[in-house]
Amino acid sequence: MYLLNRILLTLSFVIYCTTLYAQSNTDEHCLSFAPNQLLLNDSLIASGSKDSWFSRDKGLHFNGSLILTAGLANSMHRFSDSSKKNAVIWSAGITFILGISKEIWDSRQVGNRFSLKDLAYDIGGIIIAGLVLQID
């Protein structure tokens, strides 16, 4: 379990740094990274009408999906009679449905739209979490 947590945290750090580096108008850098900021600080979410492939929002989508999938899978496997494989499948499905729901909710907001790029990052986080969970 320790190894899994280290891998997920390192992967989240790399994705976060990549998305910060891709934004040319930011004065932040990777060394100011704090994992709780990814989930709790709304100021990290990029605003604006353009939808680029590399932004803070994409890192949030990736990390959120990765953490949610891994957390749900581990909880389902530990606290129910489901196998590890079934737990990963169910947690991936739940996370994907939540990602689509969030994009539908975004599309109903004024000045916002459904983003396939956000959904791609959600799927990436789900896939990486599934792969990492198979290692443990």
Side-chain angles (χ1 to χ4, degrees):
M1 188 55 105
Y2 177 78
L3 176 64
L4 173 65
N5 289 336
R6 289 289 141 208
I7 290 171
L8 292 177
L9 185 61
T10 302
L11 192 56
S12 296
F13 177 75
V14 169
I15 296 298
Y16 180 75
C17 288
T18 303
T19 57
L20 276 181
Y21 181 75
Q23 283 205 333
S24 60
N25 62 349
T26 184
D27 59 350
E28 295 181 49
H29 51 82
C30 297
L31 298 178
S32 66
F33 171 77
N36 61 340
Q37 287 180 335
L38 287 175
L39 299 175
L40 302 176
N41 191 349
D42 290 338
S43 67
L44 290 178
I45 299 173
S47 60
S49 61
K50 68 179 187 172
D51 187 27
S52 84
W53 276 103
F54 301 102
S55 68
R56 291 181 183 144
D57 185 48
K58 303 305 183 262
L60 291 171
H61 277 272
F62 182 88
N63 287 324
S65 294
L66 186 139
I67 292 167
L68 184 61
T69 302
L72 283 173
N74 280 328
S75 296
M76 290 171 79
H77 179 61
R78 283 184 173 205
F79 302 115
S80 71
D81 292 332
S82 64
S83 68
K84 190 173 192 175
K85 180 180 178 181
N86 285 340
V88 170
I89 291 170
W90 274 98
S91 64
I94 290 169
T95 303
F96 183 70
I97 289 169
L98 289 173
I100 289 177
S101 300
K102 195 247 182 228
E103 289 308 312
I104 291 171
W105 184 77
D106 282 350
S107 70
R108 299 174 143 254
Q109 304 300 313
V110 176
N112 210 341
R113 64 181 183 273
F114 189 98
S115 173
L116 290 175
K117 294 175 185 175
D118 287 353
L119 203 55
Y121 274 85
D122 288 338
I123 293 169
I126 292 168
I127 290 171
I128 296 299
L131 292 174
V132 170
L133 288 170
Q134 295 305 317
I135 293 172
D136 192 25

